[in-house]
Amino acid sequence: MNSSLVGNQSGRPFCLLAISYLETINFCLLEVVIIVFLMVLIISGNIIVIFVFHCAPLLNHHTTSYFIQTMAYADLLVGVSCLVPSLSLLHYPIVLSESLVCQIFGYVVSVLKSVSMASLACISIDRYIAITKPLTYNTLVTPWRLRICILTIWLYSCLVFLPSFHWGKPGYHGDVFQWCANSWNTDPYFTFFIVVMLYAPAAFIVCFTYFNIFRICQQHTKEINERRVRFSSQDGEAGEAQPCPDKRYAMVLFRITSVFYILWLPYIIYFLLESSNVYSNRVASFLTTWLAISNSFCNCVIYSLSNSVFQKGLKRLSGAICASCARQRVAKDSSTSRSKRSSNGCHV
């Protein structure tokens, strides 16, 4: 079935969000706007993250940077893959059959999101080891072990969703295609398989590690405050209770994890409801899917910008770009006045 052929007699394109449909437009305007907007945000955001990591070598000394870069590359590929449904909604001719394109797109995006989810779990494990075993951390977490872990994440993600070509729909990433929405059904057993092999372990690891990180940080904060009060009382000065840096970092991790699961929870809930034949709605399918995909942009913003070293690298990169911008502007506007150049120039 070709994507340009619709399942009704009116000749309208197949649109999941048929809201305020205009007769003069021969494509799904609202869907295209949403997908293209997310695609631009995801691609531009993750390209910036990748450039900063390559331009700031100090970032590579942090073990979490390996997983953040892995997430950035996976999320970048998610943004690039969004071009496929955009072309389909615009009725751009596709050489392959719609069913095959639909299955490949659903599989690829599912694998990429699995890599992102597994990387989040590995980051939480890395931080848990750093806090619980600070003396042996450098011997336990080595660069070659991190590379093996990243390779395992990619292979595992590819294998988990491989049965989707014969077993059933892995998710709702391809529902912009009419064949995916009408003919490619989910299988409750495959859904249970994905939950057991991916969603549940990742959620358990994240909850377990961050709960213990927060608990340990509270203990450290309590001990630090008690020592501060004891020494200040001996010196006759009033000491102020201050939280330790570990607790502040734990709160950052908690906010990061909360945003991730807030964006993914509606998708997972709808996935389970539809698979069990409890509830099915095309609008809910589209919105929950692309809400989850929007996390590919949130990852690069929240994870990377919460890193102080990354912020320094971003400032250096932006400073270099601004300096280049200023030199080009001065060369182009050499005939203008000095005051105009200083007002229009790019300053760091």
Side-chain angles (χ1 to χ4, degrees):
M1 183 186 299
N2 192 284
S3 60
S4 63
L5 299 177
V6 298
N8 50 45
Q9 302 298 326
S10 62
R12 291 184 177 183
F14 173 75
C15 300
L16 291 171
L17 303 178
I19 303 174
S20 300
Y21 181 84
L22 300 177
E23 297 288 346
T24 56
I25 299 178
N26 193 33
F27 59 87
C28 305
L29 178 62
L30 188 56
E31 286 89 336
V32 170
V33 170
I34 293 175
I35 295 175
V36 171
F37 177 72
L38 287 178
M39 180 178 65
V40 172
L41 287 180
I42 292 171
I43 292 177
S44 59
N46 286 283
I47 285 178
I48 291 174
V49 172
I50 293 170
F51 267 107
V52 171
F53 270 97
H54 283 285
C55 295
L58 288 176
L59 286 170
N60 295 323
H61 292 289
H62 297 264
T63 55
T64 53
S65 66
Y66 286 85
F67 297 110
I68 293 177
Q69 290 184 74
T70 301
M71 291 170 55
Y73 280 108
D75 292 334
L76 176 62
L77 293 176
V78 170
V80 173
S81 66
C82 291
L83 183 63
V84 176
S86 301
L87 295 177
S88 175
L89 291 171
L90 291 171
H91 295 272
Y92 191 85
I94 300 176
V95 178
L96 301 176
S97 64
E98 185 185 25
S99 60
L100 183 59
V101 173
C102 161
Q103 288 179 311
I104 293 176
F105 174 75
Y107 172 77
V108 169
V109 177
S110 297
V111 169
L112 294 174
K113 297 312 298 177
S114 173
V115 170
S116 183
M117 185 177 293
S119 297
L120 290 171
C122 289
I123 289 175
S124 68
I125 295 175
D126 175 79
R127 292 299 86 202
Y128 178 76
I129 296 174
I131 291 178
T132 57
K133 300 181 182 298
L135 299 179
T136 58
Y137 175 79
N138 291 330
T139 58
L140 293 174
V141 182
T142 58
W144 70 269
R145 287 181 178 177
L146 291 173
R147 294 187 183 96
I148 292 177
C149 182
I150 292 172
L151 179 61
T152 303
I153 288 174
W154 282 94
L155 291 177
Y156 183 79
S157 300
C158 292
L159 292 175
V160 165
F161 287 98
L162 193 60
S164 63
F165 289 96
H166 300 285
W167 205 347
K169 188 190 303 182
Y172 299 90
H173 308 298
D175 273 6
V176 292
F177 301 98
Q178 188 172 3
W179 185 87
C180 273
N182 296 335
S183 303
W184 198 20
N185 298 320
T186 56
D187 186 283
Y189 295 103
F190 186 45
T191 301
F192 179 77
F193 173 78
I194 294 175
V195 170
V196 171
M197 300 300 292
L198 178 63
Y199 295 154
F204 174 78
I205 289 173
V206 167
C207 292
F208 174 81
T209 53
Y210 287 161
F211 173 79
N212 284 278
I213 287 172
F214 187 75
R215 182 177 57 83
I216 293 171
C217 287
Q218 278 196 323
Q219 287 181 338
H220 290 175
T221 302
K222 184 178 179 181
E223 292 174 0
I224 291 173
N225 292 336
E226 288 178 352
R227 293 175 183 175
R228 187 183 298 273
V229 171
R230 187 184 309 117
F231 288 128
S232 61
S233 61
Q234 292 177 356
D235 296 336
E237 297 178 358
E240 296 181 358
Q242 296 181 356
C244 67
D246 288 340
K247 184 177 181 180
R248 184 177 59 183
Y249 187 69
M251 292 304 298
V252 172
L253 294 176
F254 177 75
R255 288 192 293 267
I256 290 168
T257 308
S258 299
V259 170
F260 176 82
Y261 280 99
I262 286 173
L263 294 176
W264 268 88
L265 189 60
Y267 168 83
I268 296 175
I269 291 175
Y270 181 80
F271 184 34
L272 297 175
L273 292 177
E274 205 279 342
S275 300
S276 56
N277 296 322
V278 174
Y279 177 75
S280 179
N281 182 274
R282 288 179 176 178
V283 175
S285 168
F286 181 88
L287 294 179
T288 55
T289 294
W290 293 96
L291 180 65
I293 289 179
S294 68
N295 184 72
S296 295
F297 173 70
C298 297
N299 281 342
C300 63
V301 173
I302 301 175
Y303 260 96
S304 301
L305 296 184
S306 63
N307 190 314
S308 59
V309 180
F310 179 89
Q311 292 175 358
K312 293 179 182 178
L314 183 60
K315 290 179 181 178
R316 291 178 183 176
L317 180 62
S318 60
I321 294 175
C322 284
S324 177
C325 170
R327 287 193 298 267
Q328 292 179 0
R329 189 180 295 274
V330 170
K332 183 178 180 180
D333 302 331
S334 57
S335 60
T336 60
S337 62
R338 180 185 298 272
S339 61
K340 187 175 181 179
R341 289 202 310 268
S342 62
S343 62
N344 292 336
C346 187
H347 299 281
V348 182

